[in-house]
Amino acid sequence: MSYLPSSPNLNSLAGVLTKYPRRGILLFKLLEDMGRSFSPLSKDSRDLIMTYASALNHCYFDDNGHQGKASGNHAVLIEQLQTDIDSATVDEQLKPILRFVKKLTLNPGDITSEDAQTIFDAGWDEQAFLESVCLCAIANCMNRFAKGIGTHTVGTRNFLLNNG
């Protein structure tokens, strides 16, 4: 339930942005740009980064029409990542990015050049690093927006990742 007196039944950021589309223009422009440009990260990896950052914030994508924890094909993986990145069944090359995303989400003031270097040491280039940071920032922005309006649900993954 939202904190908006005129719309208490809006239960996701996607619902609020549908009602007030101007509020989401910059978010959608960023997502659109990232979706249309070449990326060294696969679509699944980009989706995982945003879903993981949101789960760290206890803010979830609502794929099934209701508020809840991560669902769909990332549910088990998200649980693994929240428990122990090292033992999660994810590509080893992606783990430094996910460690960085976790630190940037939970302790942004602790980020150092060494944290970024682990991503480069894993074979990623500057574009992958920058895209990881941007995806994390967008997820965190959406999460703060969703929490601020009184919901823990960002919205449907398809709505947010395919509407720019």
Side-chain angles (χ1 to χ4, degrees), residues 1-18:
M1 179 187 296
S2 83
Y3 300 145
L4 301 170
S6 67
S7 306
N9 293 326
L10 289 175
N11 60 4
S12 72
L13 177 57
V16 171
L17 295 179
T18 297

Side-chain angles (χ1 to χ4, degrees), residues 95-114:
K95 289 180 180 182
I97 289 175
L98 295 169
R99 284 186 198 95
F100 188 91
V101 165
K102 180 177 183 177
K103 191 170 186 179
L104 185 58
T105 297
L106 301 177
N107 301 298
D110 294 342
I111 292 290
T112 66
S113 61
E114 288 81 15

Side-chain angles (χ1 to χ4, degrees), residues 1-2 4 13-14 16 20-21 30 49 54 75 83 101-102 108 116-117 120 127 133:
M1 179 187 296
S2 83
L4 301 170
L13 177 57
V16 171
Y20 303 102
L30 283 169
I49 289 167
S54 292
T83 302
V101 165
K102 180 177 183 177
Q117 189 60 48
F120 300 126
Q127 185 172 351
V133 171

Side-chain angles (χ1 to χ4, degrees), residues 25 27 31-32 44 47 79 89 97 117 120 123 135 149 163:
I25 289 173
L27 289 174
L31 289 169
E32 178 183 48
D44 285 343
D47 186 28
E79 286 294 322
T89 53
I97 289 175
Q117 189 60 48
F120 300 126
L135 288 166
I149 61 172
N163 284 295

Side-chain angles (χ1 to χ4, degrees), residues 48-113:
L48 179 62
I49 289 167
M50 291 190 71
T51 304
Y52 180 52
S54 292
L56 290 169
N57 287 318
H58 307 285
C59 202
Y60 305 99
F61 288 100
D62 178 8
D63 290 337
N64 298 316
H66 58 81
Q67 183 171 322
K69 291 194 175 187
S71 59
N73 58 353
H74 286 306
V76 172
L77 185 53
I78 295 298
E79 286 294 322
Q80 290 175 350
L81 290 170
Q82 289 182 302
T83 302
D84 180 24
I85 291 174
D86 291 329
S87 64
T89 53
V90 66
D91 183 354
E92 289 297 318
Q93 189 181 21
L94 195 57
K95 289 180 180 182
I97 289 175
L98 295 169
R99 284 186 198 95
F100 188 91
V101 165
K102 180 177 183 177
K103 191 170 186 179
L104 185 58
T105 297
L106 301 177
N107 301 298
D110 294 342
I111 292 290
T112 66
S113 61

